Amino acid sequence: MRNPQGISYDFCRLFILSLLVVLLFQPALSKSQSVRVVNLKVAVDEEFRRDRDWRLVVRRHLANASRVFEKEFGIRFEIGTIESWSSDNSQNSIVDLLNDLRKSISLDEYDAVLGFTNQPRIEYGLEGVASYLKGFVLLRRMKPSTIMERMIVHELGHLFGALDLNQPGLIMSRKNPGSAFDDFSKKIILLNKERDFNIYQFPLSEDKLDEAIEIYNGRKAKNLEEVEIYIMLASIYMEKKDYDAMMAECLQALKINPNLPEAYHHLGIAYRRKGQLDKAIEQYKKMLQLQPNLPEVHYNLGIAYMKKEAYEEAIQEYQKAIELNPFYAKAYSNLGFVYLQQGLAERAIAHCEKALELYPRLAEAYSTMGSALILKEQYTEAEAYSRTALGINPELPGAYNNLGTIYMIRKMVEQAIDAFERSLEINPEYTQAHYNLGRVYLLQGHVDIAIDKFKEAIRLRPHYLKAHSNLASAYLKKGLLAEAFEECKEVLAIDPDYAVVHANLGYIHLMEGRMDQAKKKAKRAISLDPKLPQPHIILGLLLEKEERFNEALVEYREAITLEPENLEAQLNIGNLYMKKAVYPKALIHYKKVIDITPNHAQAHNNLAVIYFRQEMFAKAWDHLQKAEAAGLQVHPDFKQELKNKIK
């Protein structure tokens, strides 16, 4: 009697016994050769599972392939679990089916996923495919079994950096693999023996990159037009941040095969990292014409759009990447970052939490969470997330920028500057750190340094509205009205309804003596953003000029209600009470100014005057010295009179 597959049951019993022998047998290793165990998750589609013996076939073939690797390289493959996989019947390319496998099966705690398919629609000619960087392998069922076992060995070789070769008779031959490894493949597999299977890290450690380049270049010198070598070298040069060399490898690959998708993808990454975003987008789109369902391309296209501040396009690309690979933690994290840029803290947090659920050691997600919590004014939690990010990746500029922002809010000025500077040591083109340093120096009264920092932020990000706006404020502090006006024009060209720029224009008109225009701009700013304190200060100054002091006081207090740490409003109230000789109340507000900015020269000088009038001469002298130390040229007669009183 025979089963529907035409295999006798007696034969099956013998087959099981022989399989047990195979599984129990382990080749002898030299004492000097350590064994690297690679834990596999096996996924088998419904077509492959139609054969009653599919489990035995999978285990037998993998056991035999593992014997080859253990004997040659000290690498053993072990099955951790076997999962069923419902493959997409609409796919007719094994590359697309690999993408479907990645979409359907997660790596979890395993090193790699080994998929088996028997899809009848898959075109012949490509019997297997593997991703070195992502740890996924897919094979179709082949007969006789010896061919399939060779193909398994061949594809597992790709996991360790071996490439398809245009040389017949070798296990890594592109067509009809033989039974032996060549010297080149042996060298590269041994170099990758201890490779990292974390998909968010490059497989090879930094100290092995140059050796890998030497091995691949040695093979490339044979001029066999083995196109994968160029792509592998491009990947290594990308890891070394040598983008010119990366591009050169891609262009050579395209001379051999003008329709090579990976070359366009790598060119896009190189252009993007060189800051040529439009060229990067062009290359990504070429890649998508050839292979539209690769999640990494949509992810990288999302980064390019994000850097162009085309946030809606970036969101669409990240969402597409997640649709194609629901386990794509970095896509969730970057999507959270885009929502953060739009001021949507809750959405940012939700997507970062999903990213961390998928990959709990994703430093960028912790950093973005920290930024979102700063936006929600939850500074203790923000600091904890930022420090967790740095514990995972000490070279993460965004996390240092978060800490700098928190220090700035806590008035820990020196620590804030150190954190922002550390961010720029890691990434000299980290725009936000330049901008935040400008803010710190502006608050400290170091206006020239602030101007330089804002200019650098604008050079790196020409449409950075906050940087333009703060640069206008810095020019106003120096009385450079024409320069401030030009910055306001830059902002209005980008966003005519940007409230802060209307407030800045109000200041400019006020300083020019154009009171009606100043009032109009202040009211326009309030209509655009009722939570903005600056226009209330302008209205307060206008009312003071009309000697409507009580009404001015109402506007200043409104500014403080909106922003309790608003230095200008606190100072103006202090000055108003000073004019009215209400010294106890003036004292309160000048002290608040010093709480906000300890080296504020005018506040110290005015406190000295108040304490002098209250005959508290020692305190008056102390504040007068602080005013001088802060750069104020105090009135010499007052200084001398105070000296005489102290004597």
Side-chain angles (χ1 to χ4, degrees), residues 458 462-472 487 490-491 494:
I458 291 166
H463 292 169
Y464 200 166
L465 294 178
K466 288 183 179 180
H468 281 292
S469 182
N470 276 273
L471 181 55
E487 289 305 316
E490 290 283 343
V491 177
I494 302 166

Side-chain angles (χ1 to χ4, degrees), residues 366-636:
Y366 283 107
S367 180
T368 300
M369 284 278 284
S371 300
L373 289 164
I374 289 171
L375 204 60
K376 288 169 65 68
E377 300 182 5
Q378 297 177 14
Y379 303 121
T380 302
E381 296 89 339
E383 182 176 0
Y385 273 97
S386 301
R387 293 197 181 281
T388 300
L390 290 172
I392 298 169
N393 179 5
E395 299 295 305
L396 199 62
Y400 283 108
N401 184 68
N402 287 349
L403 292 178
T405 303
I406 294 165
Y407 288 139
M408 185 165 59
I409 290 163
R410 292 173 177 169
K411 304 185 191 68
M412 301 165 67
V413 176
E414 295 303 322
Q415 293 93 325
I417 291 172
D418 287 345
F420 293 137
E421 293 285 6
R422 178 65 182 127
S423 180
L424 291 172
E425 283 175 19
I426 298 167
N427 180 4
E429 297 192 347
Y430 194 74
T431 313
Q432 222 171 347
H434 285 290
Y435 166 71
N436 281 332
L437 272 173
R439 291 174 63 206
V440 174
Y441 286 122
L442 188 61
L443 287 171
Q444 290 296 300
H446 303 302
V447 182
D448 290 329
I449 302 175
I451 287 171
D452 289 341
K453 293 298 177 183
F454 291 138
K455 283 183 175 179
E456 183 61 14
I458 291 166
R459 183 189 69 80
L460 294 166
R461 184 175 157 190
H463 292 169
Y464 200 166
L465 294 178
K466 288 183 179 180
H468 281 292
S469 182
N470 276 273
L471 181 55
S473 299
Y475 282 138
L476 283 171
K477 285 186 180 293
K478 287 181 70 70
L480 300 171
L481 302 189
E483 289 84 347
F485 185 72
E486 287 302 314
E487 289 305 316
C488 291
K489 282 172 59 181
E490 290 283 343
V491 177
L492 289 174
I494 302 166
D495 183 357
D497 293 330
Y498 193 65
V500 176
V501 79
H502 288 280
N504 281 339
L505 285 167
Y507 276 115
I508 292 170
H509 294 321
L510 179 66
M511 294 171 77
E512 291 174 335
R514 300 162 67 188
M515 304 307 172
D516 288 341
Q517 291 90 333
K519 187 175 182 179
K520 281 182 181 178
K521 283 296 178 184
K523 289 191 171 181
R524 173 66 174 150
I526 291 170
S527 70
L528 290 168
D529 184 357
K531 295 182 179 180
L532 198 64
Q534 284 81 3
H536 291 284
I537 296 170
I538 296 168
L539 292 174
L541 290 168
L542 289 168
L543 289 164
E544 270 201 75
K545 286 183 179 294
E546 297 174 7
E547 298 189 358
R548 295 159 63 182
F549 297 121
N550 290 335
E551 293 172 72
L553 189 60
V554 170
E555 293 295 339
Y556 295 144
R557 290 199 182 282
E558 179 63 22
I560 289 173
T561 301
L562 293 168
E563 185 185 328
E565 299 285 299
N566 190 288
L567 184 146
E568 190 175 1
Q570 295 285 358
L571 182 65
N572 287 355
I573 293 176
N575 290 343
L576 193 150
Y577 281 128
M578 187 85 164
K579 287 177 187 176
K580 297 177 75 173
V582 185
Y583 298 131
K585 289 187 176 181
L587 196 74
I588 291 169
H589 289 280
Y590 287 139
K591 284 183 175 180
K592 186 63 179 177
V593 169
I594 290 169
D595 285 342
I596 298 168
T597 305
N599 296 321
H600 197 283
Q602 185 187 345
H604 281 295
N605 181 78
N606 291 3
L607 281 170
V609 172
I610 291 171
Y611 283 126
F612 179 85
R613 289 175 180 172
Q614 294 177 336
E615 297 186 1
M616 301 171 70
F617 303 123
K619 282 190 174 182
W621 181 251
D622 178 55
H623 282 287
L624 196 67
Q625 285 184 311
K626 287 178 178 177
E628 283 189 312
L632 184 70
Q633 187 172 356
V634 302
H635 197 287

Side-chain angles (χ1 to χ4, degrees), residues 216-224 229-230 233 249 252:
Y216 285 122
N217 275 330
R219 179 70 187 185
K220 189 171 74 170
K222 295 181 179 291
N223 296 317
L224 296 173
I229 289 179
Y230 299 95
L233 282 167
E249 296 295 336
Q252 289 183 65

Side-chain angles (χ1 to χ4, degrees), residues 36 132 160-161 188-195 203-204 216:
R36 166 78 189 275
Y132 171 67
F160 289 86
I188 207 67
I189 291 172
L190 285 170
L191 184 68
N192 278 272
K193 180 177 177 180
E194 300 302 327
R195 61 152 292 176
L204 283 176
Y216 285 122

Side-chain angles (χ1 to χ4, degrees), residues 54-337:
W54 68 267
R55 287 183 183 273
L56 297 175
V57 169
V58 166
R59 291 188 179 277
R60 174 168 60 88
H61 288 336
L62 186 58
N64 288 338
S66 183
R67 288 176 62 201
V68 173
F69 272 88
E70 191 163 352
K71 181 178 180 181
E72 288 280 358
F73 310 111
I75 298 171
R76 181 188 306 150
F77 294 94
E78 294 184 355
I79 298 175
T81 186
I82 298 178
E83 289 189 6
S84 298
W85 160 44
S86 296
S87 58
D88 186 348
N89 293 332
S90 67
Q91 303 298 336
N92 55 17
S93 157
I94 197 164
V95 173
D96 288 333
L97 205 56
L98 178 71
N99 293 333
D100 180 65
L101 174 66
R102 292 179 58 204
K103 179 179 179 179
S104 306
I105 303 295
S106 65
L107 269 167
D108 296 327
E109 71 274 18
Y110 298 97
D111 294 320
V113 169
L114 176 59
F116 290 90
T117 182
N118 199 20
Q119 274 276 10
R121 288 172 56 88
I122 300 300
E123 60 190 19
Y124 283 90
L126 190 61
E127 312 301 336
V129 64
S131 172
Y132 171 67
L133 296 176
K134 301 304 175 186
F136 273 76
V137 178
L138 178 61
L139 295 117
R140 65 184 305 159
R141 187 161 192 177
M142 290 163 280
K143 295 180 180 179
S145 60
T146 53
I147 294 178
M148 186 163 185
E149 285 175 7
R150 286 182 184 179
M151 282 305 302
I152 293 174
V153 173
H154 176 101
E155 296 301 336
L156 291 175
H158 288 316
L159 285 185
F160 289 86
L163 305 175
D164 287 332
L165 304 178
N166 293 335
Q167 188 175 348
L170 302 171
I171 197 70
M172 295 309 300
S173 296
R174 184 178 299 276
K175 295 181 179 179
N176 301 321
S179 58
F181 281 101
D182 61 294
D183 288 340
F184 158 69
S185 298
K186 285 181 181 178
K187 286 180 184 177
I188 207 67
I189 291 172
L190 285 170
L191 184 68
N192 278 272
K193 180 177 177 180
E194 300 302 327
R195 61 152 292 176
D196 194 335
F197 277 103
N198 181 344
I199 60 172
Y200 299 110
Q201 303 290 334
F202 193 75
L204 283 176
S205 58
E206 188 176 349
D207 61 315
K208 292 184 177 180
L209 297 179
D210 288 333
E211 186 178 351
I213 289 171
E214 184 179 351
I215 295 171
Y216 285 122
N217 275 330
R219 179 70 187 185
K220 189 171 74 170
K222 295 181 179 291
N223 296 317
L224 296 173
E225 294 192 336
E226 293 161 343
V227 71
E228 288 183 10
I229 289 179
Y230 299 95
I231 301 303
M232 184 64 81
L233 282 167
S235 298
I236 297 171
Y237 286 128
M238 176 170 60
E239 186 67 14
K240 288 173 68 68
K241 298 181 174 60
D242 186 347
Y243 303 122
D244 289 332
M246 181 183 176
M247 293 173 72
E249 296 295 336
C250 292
L251 293 172
Q252 289 183 65
L254 288 171
K255 287 181 180 178
I256 299 170
N257 181 359
N259 293 319
L260 188 65
E262 295 88 346
Y264 293 112
H265 189 200
H266 280 68
L267 276 174
I269 295 170
Y271 278 126
R272 191 192 80 221
R273 293 190 179 179
K274 286 165 69 72
Q276 300 177 49
L277 299 178
D278 290 331
K279 287 186 177 180
I281 290 169
E282 180 185 350
Q283 298 301 317
Y284 293 141
K285 288 183 175 179
K286 286 181 181 178
M287 165 71 174
L288 290 173
Q289 287 174 357
L290 296 166
Q291 203 174 101
N293 294 324
L294 194 66
E296 284 75 19
V297 187
H298 291 283
Y299 168 79
N300 282 314
L301 186 52
I303 295 175
Y305 281 131
M306 186 169 67
K307 287 183 176 293
K308 283 176 67 71
E309 299 181 48
Y311 294 134
E312 291 306 319
E313 291 88 341
I315 288 169
Q316 289 175 13
E317 293 303 327
Y318 289 136
Q319 288 175 337
K320 183 64 176 178
I322 291 166
E323 177 191 328
L324 293 169
N325 181 1
F327 311 109
Y328 207 155
K330 277 193 171 183
Y332 279 105
S333 178
N334 280 22
L335 187 52
F337 185 80

